Amino acid sequence: MSIRPPAPSRRALLRAMAALPASALVLGELPGLLGTASAAAPASGSATRYTIVPFLNSNDGTVNVYQSDDATDFRLVQASAYTPPSNRIRDASVFKHTDGYYYLTYTTHTWQDVSTTIGFARSSDRVNWTFLYDYTVPITNLSRAWAPEWFVDSDGSVNVIVSCSLTTDEWIFTPYRLKATNSALTAWSSPVALSGIGSNHIDTYIVKIGSTYHAFTKNETAKYIEYGTAPSLTGPYTITRTGDWAGWGSYREGPSVIQLDNGGWRIFFDGYGDGNYYYSDSYDTFATWSAPKALPSISGTARHFTVIKETVSGGPSLSKNVTRSFQSANYTTRYWQEQSSLLNLPVVTSSSTSAEKTASTFTVVAGLADSNAFSFRDTSGNFLRHYDFRGRFDANDGTSTFAKDATFIARTGTASGSIRWESYNYPGYYLRHYNYQLRVEATAGTDLFWQDSSFTPVASWV
């Protein structure tokens, strides 16, 4: 496709004032990225699952659990899933440990209070959580320990990156590393400052690619998310991107970075200045980023979270190298049909002409850009692809762009057996019908959009 789709923070206030079931089986994870799944479309029968556990804009005493299969449209799994026995829960970070449990670490006090502890909780299913303990961060003259973030290194070591300030200047934060010294995550090494990032940086999130550590960290003076790299987890980091380098704007915080099924990287961040929660994507190892977009459904509700990605069972199953027709889930007399090279959704019945039935029959093949995903070929050998956001059929020109435009990832649909088809190179964009035309559009996060983008593979008309 030739066209690329395009309030003060608590710290500023302080300065001024002073569908998958939760029990699904996890199939695949990678070390070094909080137990993330591989950067590929899920195999048939499997699904990608992203989980977040944010505190609420209206309540920092509890957290909700949400999940998504595309890292865009997050749906509520459990409201008020965890409330600590005392204090608050803010900035919750989640990961899945090698013992099979999910763990939270979080800020234990509201922004007005001195906060020298971080909290820990555990769950076997992401829904039912058990308080473990509050840990006092052992830093002399500590004033506040905020925004602890899990980081699992490629050697399997479990770390927490926490932003700390001292009583000598309680609003100047520095990132520190705590390293777990036992597998139960009940003992921690002495805090070590991440060198090179400098003071007055908060909400530091680390991603490791190869042997390089990539840091995304908020400059609390400038209110921008900055970026730097280091050869080791504790540094020294070299901050190479400052100001509005990525086009995300200012008054942004709480970055969390995850790899998508198509290999790109997505950053999520809290746009606390305007009340939205944003995401942005990169396909060149963080050099450039797409224009930020607000997450549907949870913007204005969720605050500061991290994301984990898993591959779980229970995803859509569809055989390849077979012919199928595709029935609309919410207009069941209507089917995909090629009309003048465009994909439309007319009524097709047993009395339809032979030509109409042939135009409503497609061969399902392995995705041109990802063999775990899918492509669709008409009877003349042309492939379904998106062009200017319209579904159409063209001859394969052998280019990488065409392969990506013609590849779709299967996501579970609304009706039994139905599938939503996500664009491979436009994550969060789906084939959906509008005025009985098939287009590729960004998910709106509504039930109607899900219905309009769900299609059931059925026996082919011919």
Side-chain angles (χ1 to χ4, degrees), residues 172-379:
I172 299 295
F173 288 84
T174 298
Y176 288 80
R177 183 206 66 179
L178 305 173
K179 182 178 180 179
T181 57
N182 64 10
S183 61
L185 308 183
T186 57
W188 300 90
S189 67
S190 297
V192 176
L194 304 190
S195 66
I197 290 180
S199 62
N200 213 28
H201 285 80
I202 197 168
D203 299 350
T204 300
Y205 191 90
I206 307 294
V207 171
K208 186 180 184 183
I209 303 176
S211 60
T212 301
Y213 296 81
H214 302 257
F216 297 82
T217 183
K218 181 194 177 188
N219 183 316
E220 187 57 23
T221 300
K223 311 301 182 187
Y224 291 108
I225 295 172
E226 299 182 340
Y227 166 79
T229 58
S232 71
L233 178 56
T234 55
Y237 286 86
T238 301
I239 300 296
T240 57
R241 298 289 186 270
T242 60
D244 195 17
W245 66 279
W248 299 327
S250 60
Y251 291 89
R252 307 293 191 240
E253 65 185 15
S256 178
V257 181
I258 201 77
Q259 193 166 30
L260 300 173
D261 284 346
N262 69 356
W265 292 88
R266 174 163 292 183
I267 187 170
F268 302 86
F269 52 85
D270 191 342
Y272 62 91
D274 56 31
N276 286 315
Y277 220 103
Y278 290 98
Y279 68 93
S280 175
D281 296 343
S282 176
Y283 291 90
D284 51 12
T285 317
F286 312 142
T288 60
W289 295 83
S290 64
K293 297 186 66 175
L295 285 168
S297 305
I298 64 171
S299 282
T301 299
R303 295 293 311 277
H304 192 148
F305 56 75
T306 62
V307 187
I308 58 168
K309 177 186 178 184
E310 302 169 273
T311 300
V312 299
S313 63
S317 294
L318 180 62
S319 297
K320 292 170 180 170
N321 301 313
V322 296
T323 57
R324 290 290 182 267
S325 293
F326 291 87
Q327 179 186 45
S328 168
N330 57 345
Y331 289 84
T332 55
T333 61
R334 293 180 176 272
Y335 295 78
W336 288 9
Q337 186 178 100
E338 182 180 357
Q339 297 177 343
S340 301
S341 296
L342 298 176
L343 185 60
N344 293 323
L345 197 73
V347 172
V348 183
T349 69
S350 58
S351 59
S352 296
T353 67
S354 176
E356 289 170 335
K357 292 178 180 179
T358 298
S360 301
T361 297
F362 308 95
T363 301
V364 180
V365 298
L368 298 182
D370 183 330
S371 61
N372 279 351
F374 296 84
S375 292
F376 306 96
R377 193 173 61 224
D378 67 12
T379 55

Side-chain angles (χ1 to χ4, degrees), residues 50-269:
Y50 302 87
T51 299
I52 61 173
V53 188
F55 79 98
L56 309 180
N57 191 48
S58 60
N59 184 0
D60 64 359
T62 191
V63 288
N64 290 351
V65 177
Y66 299 85
Q67 70 182 31
S68 171
D69 56 7
D70 60 13
T72 305
D73 189 355
F74 285 89
R75 298 297 177 103
L76 182 67
V77 176
Q78 182 65 47
S80 299
Y82 172 64
T83 301
S86 62
N87 302 318
R88 319 308 291 168
I89 177 167
R90 302 173 66 91
D91 316 326
S93 180
V94 61
F95 94 112
K96 191 170 190 225
H97 195 21
T98 54
D99 62 5
Y101 284 92
Y102 299 87
Y103 286 81
L104 288 180
T105 184
Y106 53 90
T107 304
T108 56
H109 290 74
T110 193
W111 52 265
Q112 298 100 325
D113 300 334
V114 170
S115 178
T116 59
T117 61
I118 56 176
F120 291 88
R122 187 176 74 171
S123 172
S124 62
D125 59 8
R126 304 175 302 138
V127 173
N128 301 289
W129 293 87
T130 300
F131 171 74
L132 294 178
Y133 61 95
D134 286 340
Y135 177 74
T136 300
V137 179
I139 294 177
T140 302
N141 298 321
L142 178 65
S143 174
R144 283 166 172 79
W146 280 358
E149 315 275 6
W150 293 109
F151 175 75
V152 182
D153 212 334
S154 53
D155 63 1
S157 61
V158 178
N159 305 269
V160 171
I161 309 300
V162 59
S163 301
C164 297
S165 69
L166 305 180
T167 55
T168 52
D169 196 334
E170 58 187 342
W171 311 127
I172 299 295
F173 288 84
T174 298
Y176 288 80
R177 183 206 66 179
L178 305 173
K179 182 178 180 179
T181 57
N182 64 10
S183 61
L185 308 183
T186 57
W188 300 90
S189 67
S190 297
V192 176
L194 304 190
S195 66
I197 290 180
S199 62
N200 213 28
H201 285 80
I202 197 168
D203 299 350
T204 300
Y205 191 90
I206 307 294
V207 171
K208 186 180 184 183
I209 303 176
S211 60
T212 301
Y213 296 81
H214 302 257
F216 297 82
T217 183
K218 181 194 177 188
N219 183 316
E220 187 57 23
T221 300
K223 311 301 182 187
Y224 291 108
I225 295 172
E226 299 182 340
Y227 166 79
T229 58
S232 71
L233 178 56
T234 55
Y237 286 86
T238 301
I239 300 296
T240 57
R241 298 289 186 270
T242 60
D244 195 17
W245 66 279
W248 299 327
S250 60
Y251 291 89
R252 307 293 191 240
E253 65 185 15
S256 178
V257 181
I258 201 77
Q259 193 166 30
L260 300 173
D261 284 346
N262 69 356
W265 292 88
R266 174 163 292 183
I267 187 170
F268 302 86
F269 52 85

